[in-house]
Amino acid sequence: MSTAPYRKSGFFNNKIMNPLLTMLGLAPALTVRGRTSGRRYTMPVLPLDYEGQRYLVAPRGNTHWARNLRSVGECELRAGGRRGHFKASEIPVAQRGPVVAAYVQQYGSKYGGFVAKEFAALPDPADHPVFLIEPEPAQR
């Protein structure tokens, strides 16, 4: 079990902004099964393509989606009208630095500075779960 910090999202993000972004397709959406409930949860994410691989980084730290993804090891990502199923592998803490730096470089000043604020509050790359996501073969 990770002891990494977690910056809880507020009511506005949870109940208004995140559902609106995912419903309207304005941001890529991650769907992951709950680690305890088995219920499917969907939230906006910012995938990072880095050195030929695709990653998900948790800007708010050890969030519920990160804990769920760590536990179930698979997810669905919907972006630009496309939907894919992925296997997820958490990147060890010692290897997160370059991925986190690339994430902050790509997204840090966008989206009203949300990413920059979260990384300013949790500056250690170890505080941000990072997952390599790889497409699963099509199910028959």
Side-chain angles (χ1 to χ4, degrees), residues 84-138:
H85 294 275
F86 295 85
K87 176 182 76 156
S89 306
E90 189 166 11
I91 301 301
V93 171
Q95 297 172 10
R96 292 180 187 171
V99 178
V100 168
Y103 186 88
V104 172
Q105 181 178 3
Q106 181 167 339
Y107 295 118
S109 62
K110 297 178 182 177
Y111 310 104
F114 159 77
V115 171
K117 289 175 194 170
E118 294 305 323
F119 280 89
L122 297 173
D124 187 345
D127 293 338
H128 303 279
V130 176
F131 297 89
L132 170 65
I133 59 172
E134 299 175 285
E136 288 186 342

Side-chain angles (χ1 to χ4, degrees), residues 61-85:
N62 197 33
T63 61
H64 286 290
W65 73 255
R67 287 180 259 176
N68 288 336
L69 192 53
R70 180 180 299 123
S71 176
V72 301
E74 62 184 17
C75 63
E76 179 181 285
L77 186 64
R78 189 176 66 235
R82 300 176 72 192
R83 181 182 308 241
H85 294 275

Side-chain angles (χ1 to χ4, degrees), residues 5-23:
Y6 165 44
R7 290 182 40 85
K8 200 171 189 178
S9 184
F11 176 85
F12 180 75
N13 277 345
N14 289 338
K15 301 297 181 186
I16 298 169
M17 187 59 109
N18 289 349
L20 190 61
L21 288 171
T22 56
M23 180 178 64

